[in-house]
Amino acid sequence: MLFSFYKEQWYLEKRNAICMTCGRVSPLATQSNFEDLAVDFEGTTASGAERFYRRTLDKLRLKLLESSVVHTVTLKQTERRKKKKIAVAVYLYQADNDGEWGELRFDFENGTAEIVKLADWDTVKSNVFAKTEIRYIQGLPEARLLKSVVVPFWKGRA
């Protein structure tokens, strides 16, 4: 188990160019790609290194959620209608990786977003999880609309 922790820490440090012990940030040019990680840690491929990295990020995200340091909103696109450009997109969203999913509808022609259904754990008055996702999606260029994404945000930030 101890070996796994150091391997996970090593992957995160190499990929993100950040020392997890002291917090020192290295230049992005020193950031390792998945091919480099696969070579440095023998016995895996670039896709294997990427899968391990993503699983490690998920574990870290869950630990941060458990400690209430950050919150996350998980988003899944369920519908997208196009004319010349994307006109409408519908997403399900989940607060802090738990509970029932809510629904958000985006009308890109009119530049509006609507909370169709609140997710479990989203607050009735501030809708902090839904509003975080709305800002995130509306900030993306149309060509980058994602099928699914997990968006972290700091506690207390609306």
Side-chain angles (χ1 to χ4, degrees):
M1 186 67 163
L2 191 59
F3 171 73
S4 179
F5 168 75
Y6 288 115
K7 180 180 172 185
E8 291 169 347
Q9 181 177 341
W10 181 85
Y11 262 74
L12 290 173
E13 288 179 345
K14 290 292 208 172
R15 178 68 182 146
N16 298 316
I18 297 173
C19 176
M20 294 181 67
T21 305
C22 69
R24 180 183 49 81
V25 178
S26 300
L28 281 179
T30 65
Q31 180 182 36
S32 296
N33 61 34
F34 293 113
E35 290 81 14
D36 293 339
L37 292 173
V39 169
D40 289 345
F41 195 81
E42 299 170 6
T44 189
T45 62
S47 62
E50 184 174 4
R51 281 191 307 275
F52 182 79
Y53 172 76
R54 301 241 181 263
R55 282 193 313 267
T56 301
L57 280 181
D58 282 342
K59 284 174 66 176
L60 179 60
R61 179 174 57 96
L62 290 174
K63 290 283 186 200
L64 291 170
L65 283 172
E66 288 170 4
S67 64
S68 297
V69 173
V70 296
H71 294 284
T72 62
V73 185
T74 305
L75 194 67
K76 291 182 185 177
Q77 188 181 94
T78 59
E79 182 182 338
R80 180 164 81 176
R81 287 186 291 217
K82 286 179 109 173
K83 293 180 182 174
K84 288 185 179 181
K85 293 184 173 186
I86 297 173
V88 174
V90 178
Y91 285 90
L92 296 178
Y93 81 102
Q94 186 181 44
D96 279 345
N97 208 41
D98 190 26
E100 293 292 319
W101 293 76
E103 184 177 323
L104 304 172
R105 182 175 302 272
F106 296 87
D107 180 343
F108 294 105
E109 288 181 323
N110 297 318
T112 60
E114 171 188 13
I115 302 169
V116 177
K117 177 186 170 196
L118 279 179
D120 280 355
W121 315 120
D122 204 350
T123 54
V124 176
K125 287 186 179 181
S126 67
N127 310 127
V128 67
F129 292 92
K131 288 179 179 177
T132 297
E133 281 309 309
I134 289 169
R135 278 193 308 274
Y136 181 80
I137 292 297
Q138 288 180 329
L140 291 173
E142 178 190 339
R144 292 268 309 150
L145 277 187
L146 305 168
K147 299 274 187 210
S148 66
V149 67
V150 176
V151 178
F153 64 99
W154 304 113
K155 185 177 181 179
R157 189 164 171 234

